[in-house]
Amino acid sequence: MIRTRVIATAASAPKQVITNDDMAKIVDTSDEWITQRTGIKQRHISAGENTSVLVSDVAKQLLDRASVAAEDIDLIIVASVTPDYGTPSLACMVQKEIGAVNAVAFDVVAACSGFMFALSTADKYIRTGAYKNAIVIGGETLSKIVDWTDRSTCVLFGDGAGGAYVESSAEGGVIREDIGSAGDQYEILTEGYTACSNAFNDVPDQTDPEWYVHMDGRAVFKFATKKVMKSLQKVMEEEGITQEDVKFFVPHQANMRILEVVSKKLDIPFEKFYLNMDKYGNTSSASIPMALNELNEKGLLERGDKIILSGFGGGMTWGTMLIVW
């Protein structure tokens, strides 16, 4: 059986670090307020570098760590809600930057579930034999779409990118997944609305509140806890395993409280959730691959380990994946 195995991981973040105390200088908040409600202590914020810079850095690292030549890459998929342009795609920009002249390249948009959707897509191409390998990246510069006067959102987000080089394998790899969408709830988390204003109508131009991230925090919290729990249960039950068989759960790094609820209700020891939101905040599509890379770089994973990646995001969307390392 052909499966999609993670061979290498990588991550990149802006050098500029903004602490909670720094945030308190621009909005009415405090380190205590942010930490208690989210678990976030700091975030990396772009000093001018755009998303393409971060995702290209990840791609270069992946080539080096996997010891693979750029011209041998078959597929590049980048997940993002903050690309440099409407077009070209970030994936095409990465393709040029690394010289992957033979790759097919495109982006996917699924917000904080983006990496899960991108990895799922790559998995299908590889399982069918269409391609033998892929670079899959999630990357964001959320700082450019955040309303820095809104303390309910601006304290949450950070910039960064993470990714994986995957290839066909007879061993390990992606074992089972559950991804889905709930478009009936799309309005609880939005950003980047552009009105259809042109020379032949009177529709007003877009306004800043519509362009920035807008989130119904309570509704998102309710959606996240409900969907992540059901998705985790579904994947484990369908594979016939329990949390005891899983070495690490790598969740979307959004909010400590969400994970505390999931841990308690599913009876999963909290220490099994690998977290780095305290250092990076919510980096949307980048959060899961950044955490996965950190886990890998620390040498905490061994071949044969079962890990579960799980995220949720705007759309609304969700995705859970069981991987044998």
Side-chain angles (χ1 to χ4, degrees):
M1 178 184 292
I2 298 176
R3 285 180 171 156
T4 304
R5 193 167 198 176
V6 176
I7 304 300
T9 62
S12 180
K15 292 182 180 180
Q16 178 172 248
V17 175
I18 302 299
T19 66
N20 289 346
D21 288 333
D22 293 327
M23 294 299 302
K25 296 175 183 178
I26 63 171
V27 291
D28 182 16
T29 190
S30 67
D31 174 60
E32 180 182 12
W33 191 93
I34 298 171
T35 302
Q36 288 184 351
R37 288 163 176 77
T38 68
I40 298 168
K41 297 291 293 184
Q42 63 178 45
R43 70 284 297 147
H44 290 246
I45 297 296
S46 170
E49 57 270 63
N50 215 331
T51 311
S52 61
V53 174
L54 302 176
V55 297
S56 293
D57 182 38
V58 168
K60 292 174 184 177
Q61 291 182 57
L62 290 173
L63 292 179
D64 181 62
R65 294 180 178 187
S67 298
V68 61
E71 57 268 25
D72 292 331
I73 300 298
D74 294 333
L75 178 65
I76 301 171
I77 307 177
V78 178
S80 183
V81 295
T82 55
D84 295 23
Y85 300 97
T87 189
S89 67
L90 284 166
C92 282
M93 297 175 76
V94 168
Q95 180 191 31
K96 176 186 177 182
E97 188 67 23
I98 66 175
V101 294
N102 297 310
V104 173
F106 59 88
D107 289 359
V108 299
V109 179
C112 303
S113 306
F115 181 77
M116 304 306 299
F117 277 57
L119 186 56
S120 175
T121 302
D123 177 53
K124 305 307 179 295
Y125 277 109
I126 290 174
R127 281 178 182 262
T128 60
Y131 301 122
K132 293 181 179 180
N133 61 55
I135 284 177
V136 183
I137 301 172
E140 310 284 4
T141 47
L142 295 167
S143 58
K144 65 185 180 183
I145 61 167
V146 166
D147 180 354
W148 291 97
T149 66
D150 178 13
R151 76 166 185 170
S152 67
T153 57
C154 73
V155 301
L156 303 175
F157 300 105
D159 300 333
Y165 167 75
V166 299
E167 63 182 28
S168 60
S169 174
E171 299 178 342
V174 176
I175 303 300
R176 191 170 295 275
E177 70 171 37
D178 172 55
I179 64 172
S181 306
D184 59 320
Q185 298 184 64
Y186 81 87
E187 292 177 312
I188 67 175
L189 179 54
T190 63
E191 63 88 6
Y193 177 77
T194 303
C196 187
S197 177
N198 58 53
F200 299 95
N201 67 36
D202 296 323
V203 176
D205 291 336
Q206 67 187 40
T207 58
D208 286 346
E210 294 172 316
W211 178 253
Y212 293 141
V213 172
H214 176 74
M215 180 172 64
D216 182 336
R218 290 186 178 181
V220 170
F221 187 95
K222 181 178 179 180
F223 175 89
T225 51
K226 180 179 179 180
K227 287 299 183 184
V228 170
M229 284 191 293
K230 285 188 175 182
S231 192
L232 286 171
Q233 285 178 313
K234 180 179 180 181
V235 166
M236 288 190 288
E237 288 174 1
E238 289 182 349
E239 190 57 27
I241 64 173
T242 69
Q243 61 87 8
E244 294 179 351
D245 300 304
V246 181
K247 187 171 184 180
F248 287 106
F249 292 83
V250 185
H252 169 44
Q253 309 288 309
N255 187 303
M256 187 79 74
R257 288 183 173 180
I258 291 174
L259 300 178
E260 288 173 345
V261 171
V262 173
S263 171
K264 182 178 180 179
K265 292 195 173 183
L266 293 186
D267 196 27
I268 299 174
F270 195 69
E271 58 268 22
K272 279 198 170 188
F273 289 94
Y274 187 80
L275 308 178
N276 64 358
M277 67 182 69
D278 59 318
K279 295 182 290 185
Y280 296 101
N282 181 345
T283 54
S284 188
S285 66
S287 78
I288 290 176
M290 288 180 73
L292 178 63
N293 176 68
E294 191 169 284
L295 191 63
N296 188 26
E297 286 187 339
K298 288 183 177 180
L300 297 175
L301 296 175
E302 297 179 358
R303 287 302 181 186
D305 286 343
K306 292 184 177 68
I307 61 174
I308 290 183
L309 317 180
S310 187
F312 61 92
M316 296 296 285
T317 59
W318 70 90
T320 298
M321 189 174 287
L322 169 64
I323 293 176
V324 173
W325 192 250

